[in-house]
């Protein structure tokens, strides 16, 4: 079992390059299944375990995949008919795998997809996905861990109102609408930048979509879509991770291929704490030379609010604040599992309902901790960078789902960190 070993106390200095976004590449590559003509090619594809899983899943559906890790390119040829069933073996590993439901349904008129898995951060039901499919005309049967979707006469455009701006449901229903008959109006959609990136690719394929970056999308169905080329947007959560790591270690780091517009809420909160941040085109410099930071209040919300994926990471930074910070999680009900691990490192954190009260100022002590999910793992790595002594982070398979060579990048910035 691999683990990451860190000896804390070294400030991070230098430059770090941000990879393509995990949360963008998975749905975008999946949307390439809609193309019955031509081949799609993607650039800036990160070498992540999740990319490997989605590639294996698409291959199992009869799609030809050509992934070049060195050049960071991935080609998708989905011109052959798709297998109608997405096996539990793949879908259970990663929640984003459920996004194959829409392309299979609209192309083959029938889809059988296993219920999704992923990080254990709380209940993430698929009811909003199924609501959208149903309104478009699909018949739905849930049985024995699978969902069966039928639309023998195809799907027909309609108006879909999402009860909650679910990212996955928005992506799935957008894909289904692109090949539905007539006009579809999607109301209260998620507005995350990764969805905007997906829409950009779909329009290159020939989709007719308007209203991007708003809460209402209008989609005119087309008869077919074709392959296209697309460069995946930078990963805003990876950028946030290195920005916070730089501030926490009292470092000075230039985060390259990072877009300010994707991280406005984070930058605002870090500046509120007293961290120095300089924003230039596609790069952000983070500096911190303060003896202590200022406490903050954070509430996770759908975009453009504070991203839930950054909640555990910024919690580590609040441990350096003089006073009590409050972090309220409104998106997932089980996303404080990292708190118990931070407490093992001498952090003073109290949970009250959906809020965490963090009392800063106590020096962290290195020990053995376990990554309970992807972002919690990143938070524990940052905690190890600022702790006294040695920290050992186990269960790092979660970290590898969202970070490319995290220990190598941190080591180049001056961290004492190895993978064993």
């Amino acid at each position: 079992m691999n683990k990451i070993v860190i000896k804390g106390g070294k400030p991070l200095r230098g430059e770090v390059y941000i990879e393509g976004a995990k949360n963008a590449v998975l749905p975008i590559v999946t949307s390439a299944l809609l193309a019955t003509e031509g081949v799609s090619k993607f650039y800036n594809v990160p070498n992540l375990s999740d990319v490997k899983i989605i590639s294996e899943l698409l291959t199992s559906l009869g799609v030809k995949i050509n992934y070049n890790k060195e050049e960071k390119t991935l080609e998708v040829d989905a011109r052959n008919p798709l297998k109608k069933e997405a096996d539990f073996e793949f879908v259970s590993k990663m929640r984003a795998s459920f996004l194959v439901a829409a392309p299979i349904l609209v192309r083959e008129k029938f889809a059988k997809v296993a219920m999704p898995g992923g990080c254990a951060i709380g209940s993430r039901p698929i009811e909003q996905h199924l609501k959208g499919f149903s309104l478009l005309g699909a018949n739905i049967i849930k049985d024995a861990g699978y969902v069966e979707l039928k639309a023998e006469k195809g799907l027909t455009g309609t108006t879909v109102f999402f009860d909650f701006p679910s990212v996955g449901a928005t992506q799935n229903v957008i894909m289904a609408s692109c090949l539905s008959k007539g006009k579809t109006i999607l109301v209260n959609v998620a507005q995350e930048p990764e969805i905007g990136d997906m829409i950009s690719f779909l329009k290159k394929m020939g989709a007719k979509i308007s209203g991007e970056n708003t809460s209402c999308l209008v989609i005119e169905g087309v008869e077919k879509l074709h392959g296209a080329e697309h460069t995946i947007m930078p990963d805003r959560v990876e950028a946030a991770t290195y920005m916070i790591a730089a501030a926490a270690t009292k470092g000075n780091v230039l985060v390259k291929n990072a877009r300010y517009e994707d991280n406005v809420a984070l930058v605002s909160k870090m500046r509120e704490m007293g961290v120095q941040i300089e924003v230039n085109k596609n790069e952000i410099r983070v500096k911190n030379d303060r003896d202590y930071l200022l406490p903050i209040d954070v509430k996770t919300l759908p975009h453009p609010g504070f991203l839930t994926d950054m909640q555990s990471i910024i919690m580590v930074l609040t441990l350096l604040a003089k006073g009590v910070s409050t972090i309220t999680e409104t998106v997932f009900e089980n996303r404080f599992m990292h708190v118990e691990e931070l407490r093992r490192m001498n952090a003073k954190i109290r949970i009250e309902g959906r809020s965490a009260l963090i009392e800063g100022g106590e020096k962290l002590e290195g020990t053995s901790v376990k990554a309970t999910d992807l972002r919690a793992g990143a938070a524990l790595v940052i905690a190890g960078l600022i702790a006294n002594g040695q920290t050992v982070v186990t269960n790092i398979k979660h970290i590898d789902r969202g970070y490319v060579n995290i220990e190598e990048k941190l080591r180049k910035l001056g961290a004492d960190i190895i993978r064993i």
Side-chain angles (χ1 to χ4, degrees):
M1 181 73 68
N2 286 353
K3 53 189 175 181
I4 291 176
V5 180
I6 310 156
K7 292 181 181 177
K10 293 193 174 182
L12 301 184
R13 303 188 187 281
E15 299 180 355
V16 62
Y17 185 85
I18 300 306
E19 310 287 337
K22 177 186 90 77
N23 290 340
V25 70
L26 302 178
I28 289 175
V29 167
T30 302
S31 68
L33 300 190
L34 294 168
T36 51
E37 295 181 353
V39 177
S40 295
K41 186 172 184 179
F42 303 101
Y43 302 90
N44 199 32
V45 176
N47 182 18
L48 300 171
S49 60
D50 273 12
V51 173
K52 180 181 178 182
I53 292 172
I54 201 71
S55 298
E56 291 174 349
L57 171 59
L58 299 192
T59 299
S60 76
L61 296 175
V63 178
K64 295 178 182 178
I65 300 290
N66 183 8
Y67 181 30
N68 189 316
K69 298 177 183 178
E70 287 71 33
E71 295 182 2
K72 300 182 181 180
T73 61
L74 190 150
E75 294 181 352
V76 179
D77 183 348
R79 288 175 290 182
N80 291 330
L82 301 176
K83 179 184 173 184
K84 298 178 183 180
E85 181 173 333
D87 294 333
F88 175 80
E89 174 189 355
F90 301 108
V91 183
S92 63
K93 295 178 182 178
M94 186 176 66
R95 183 171 182 81
S97 299
F98 192 72
L99 293 175
V100 300
I104 298 174
L105 175 63
V106 294
R107 284 190 52 181
E108 307 301 335
K109 314 304 181 188
F110 174 85
K112 183 178 181 181
V113 184
M115 300 289 280
C119 284
I121 57 176
S123 174
R124 295 191 283 181
I126 58 172
E127 272 66 26
Q128 294 301 301
H129 300 243
L130 302 184
K131 173 184 177 179
F133 291 146
S134 177
L135 288 171
L136 289 168
N139 294 317
I140 300 170
I141 299 174
K142 289 195 285 185
D143 181 50
Y146 281 81
V147 177
E148 290 187 3
L149 306 164
K150 297 180 181 180
E152 295 178 359
K153 296 182 180 180
L155 301 178
T156 302
T158 186
T159 298
V160 178
F161 175 82
F162 292 102
D163 299 313
F164 176 81
S166 161
V167 172
T170 297
Q171 292 165 334
N172 238 335
V173 181
I174 286 174
M175 286 189 283
S177 302
C178 287
L179 292 175
S180 295
K181 300 169 187 174
K183 180 190 293 186
T184 300
I185 300 174
L186 305 182
V187 183
N188 197 29
V189 298
Q191 301 175 55
E192 272 67 11
E194 294 82 6
I195 291 177
D197 205 30
M198 177 183 175
I199 291 174
S200 176
F201 171 64
L202 287 169
K203 292 173 79 169
K204 292 176 184 177
M205 296 175 71
K208 296 182 178 180
I209 307 172
S210 60
E212 50 264 59
N213 303 316
T214 74
S215 62
C216 181
L217 296 174
V218 178
I219 303 172
E220 294 280 355
V222 297
E223 289 189 4
K224 59 185 177 181
L225 295 172
H226 55 78
E229 295 190 355
H230 186 73
T231 299
I232 304 299
M233 66 174 281
D235 194 314
R236 57 186 175 133
V237 187
E238 187 192 18
T241 302
Y242 290 105
M243 290 167 63
I244 291 172
T249 59
K250 295 185 179 181
N252 184 340
V253 174
L254 180 64
V255 184
K256 307 190 77 173
N257 194 35
R259 306 190 309 203
Y260 166 70
E261 60 266 27
D262 296 337
N263 273 321
V264 173
L266 173 71
V267 171
S268 298
K269 284 299 175 183
M270 292 182 70
R271 283 174 169 165
E272 192 177 322
M273 297 183 77
V275 178
Q276 299 176 56
I277 298 180
E278 300 172 5
V279 176
N280 296 303
K281 185 178 180 180
N282 293 330
E283 59 184 34
I284 302 172
R285 180 174 294 279
V286 178
K287 296 186 289 185
N288 177 30
D289 55 8
R290 295 173 60 109
D291 291 332
Y292 62 86
L293 297 174
L294 302 175
I296 54 170
D297 294 327
V298 173
K299 177 184 286 188
T300 64
L301 292 166
H303 190 79
F306 195 92
L307 181 64
T308 179
D309 278 5
M310 300 177 189
Q311 176 257 108
S312 57
I313 305 169
I314 201 168
M315 184 178 289
V316 178
L317 192 60
T318 64
L319 293 170
L320 303 178
K322 189 174 183 180
V324 177
S325 297
T326 302
I327 297 179
T328 301
E329 175 61 56
T330 72
V331 180
F332 296 120
E333 76 278 7
N334 197 26
R335 205 157 198 180
F336 283 141
M337 291 190 293
H338 56 282
V339 167
E340 196 58 42
E341 301 301 306
L342 290 174
R343 283 173 177 158
R344 289 170 49 78
M345 300 179 72
N346 200 39
K348 289 190 174 182
I349 306 171
R350 186 172 77 254
I351 303 297
E352 292 185 358
R354 287 204 161 199
S355 295
L357 280 67
I358 305 103
E359 185 176 338
E362 297 292 330
K363 185 65 179 177
L364 296 183
E365 300 293 336
T367 186
S368 291
V369 290
K370 179 180 179 181
T372 53
D373 63 70
L374 167 55
R375 305 308 174 185
L380 294 173
V381 169
I382 298 173
L385 295 175
I386 61 177
N388 287 326
Q390 178 174 284
T391 299
V392 179
V393 183
T394 63
N395 207 29
I396 61 173
K397 63 181 181 180
H398 290 299
I399 298 174
D400 293 335
R401 289 186 54 224
Y403 294 92
V404 177
N405 301 327
I406 189 171
E407 73 282 357
E408 292 182 18
K409 288 188 175 184
L410 288 170
R411 192 160 53 244
K412 288 180 181 178
L413 293 173
D416 188 340
I417 180 172
I418 59 171
R419 176 186 295 243
I420 59 175

